[in-house]
Amino acid sequence: MSVQSAARRLTAPDIRARKGGEPIVSLTAYHAHTARLVDPHVDFMLVGDSLGMVMHGMETTVPVTVDMMILQGQAVMRGSARALVVVDLPFGSYEGSPQQAFATAARVLKETGAGAVKLEGGRRMAETVRFLADRGVPVMGHVGLTPQAINTLGSFKALGRDEASAALILDDARSIAEAGAFSIVLEAISEPLARQITEEVAPPTIGIGGSPACDGQILVLEDMLGLSDRVPRFVKKFADIGPAIGAAVEAYASEVRARSFPGPEHVYAPKKG
């Protein structure tokens, strides 16, 4: 008889069922060790294509590849046991057709073991969201500021702050909600708009520069820990561990140069006899 673990990993239907309930907590994760620290406290972890900027120093998320997402998705799955893991589909891997999106999503889910994928775009991606959802792929949507479209947008800026653009974003959210997205990220849009979308769509909304009325919130882990040089307005630093890391490295370097590290307790004596 097999023995099942008492802990069950959360699923996309679990997140969808949280609409209007206890707020959903989420953070990004890219490594096994940080996933292990985050896992007990969040409902889902997003392996975001922001890893291109956070881990690799890229200026945008556009150069990120599917292989990069899979590698880090595997790491986060190894480091976690409870939270749903969602993996971003990177730019160029799904926009061509619903069939392309399904092939990419199927590969990501198979090779990482993650429970869902996320893609950017509203009305223009509704057909793709429906195609994936109908074929058993849980899809998290993402509207408002969509970083993969930065070359079209021109800069990272808040959207939906005037009536015309707000109407377009609302239509985007409605479209992918109706297409079957199990949740929708609302990034960098006006607070009243994020609140309105949350009230009008069936799946839960996840705010990042949205509204406290959203069904949940997400931040980039490194941003909220104070490890990023520049952060958007919507980020609150819950810690500032960057200086602490710098101080630890400085102390290490000093002791190495002074030959006070390693000490006797850090080296191996020969065996006697």
Side-chain angles (χ1 to χ4, degrees):
M1 181 181 295
S2 64
V3 178
Q4 293 185 345
S5 171
R8 180 181 72 88
R9 191 183 288 274
L10 293 173
T11 65
D14 291 327
I15 300 301
R16 185 179 181 90
R18 295 276 290 277
K19 178 69 179 183
E22 180 183 6
I24 299 162
V25 180
S26 176
L27 286 167
T28 62
Y30 317 119
H31 318 88
H33 60 89
T34 52
R36 193 170 296 113
L37 294 171
V38 169
D39 189 47
H41 307 290
V42 301
D43 301 303
F44 76 87
M45 284 182 279
L46 174 65
V47 185
D49 58 2
S50 51
L51 65 85
M53 302 168 76
V54 175
M55 292 180 62
H56 299 282
M58 297 174 177
E59 291 187 4
T60 72
T61 63
V62 172
V64 173
T65 67
V66 175
D67 287 341
M68 292 167 69
M69 298 307 306
I70 288 174
L71 183 65
Q72 304 313 136
Q74 291 169 339
V76 170
M77 285 296 295
R78 286 193 292 267
S80 63
R82 175 188 171 277
L84 169 69
V85 174
V86 182
V87 180
D88 265 341
L89 300 185
F91 177 74
S93 71
Y94 64 93
E95 299 92 335
S97 68
Q99 292 76 14
Q100 181 198 28
F102 179 77
T104 303
R107 182 187 170 202
V108 167
L109 295 182
K110 283 185 175 184
E111 295 188 27
T112 65
V117 298
K118 182 173 77 64
L119 55 79
E120 295 182 3
R123 181 174 53 183
R124 65 183 177 84
M125 295 308 302
E127 179 186 356
T128 295
V129 171
R130 183 174 288 108
F131 189 91
L132 296 182
D134 286 349
R135 287 158 179 77
V137 178
V139 180
M140 178 176 288
H142 184 155
V143 302
L145 174 60
T146 48
Q148 291 177 10
I150 187 60
N151 289 330
T152 299
L153 296 173
S155 64
F156 295 105
K157 59 184 178 181
L159 302 173
R161 303 178 78 176
D162 60 82
E163 188 173 339
S165 62
L168 292 174
I169 294 171
L170 177 59
D171 183 55
D172 281 341
R174 287 171 173 165
S175 297
I176 59 173
E178 292 168 1
F182 74 89
S183 62
I184 304 173
V185 173
L186 306 179
E187 180 168 359
I189 62 177
S190 71
E191 197 282 328
L193 175 60
R195 185 179 296 269
Q196 180 183 2
I197 291 172
T198 300
E199 292 172 351
E200 292 193 14
V201 300
T205 58
I206 311 298
I208 176 166
S211 168
C214 289
D215 296 293
Q217 302 293 330
I218 187 169
L219 286 175
V220 172
L221 179 65
E222 286 75 4
D223 288 352
M224 58 88 75
L225 291 178
L227 290 172
S228 303
D229 293 333
R230 294 186 300 170
V231 297
R233 171 191 174 91
F234 54 71
V235 173
K236 176 179 177 179
K237 290 186 179 181
F238 287 82
D240 194 12
I241 66 174
I245 293 174
V249 173
E250 181 182 14
Y252 162 73
S254 177
E255 291 193 16
V256 169
R257 292 181 179 120
R259 295 192 182 276
S260 59
F261 175 84
E265 69 273 28
H266 304 119
V267 297
Y268 299 93
K271 291 183 177 180
K272 296 181 179 179

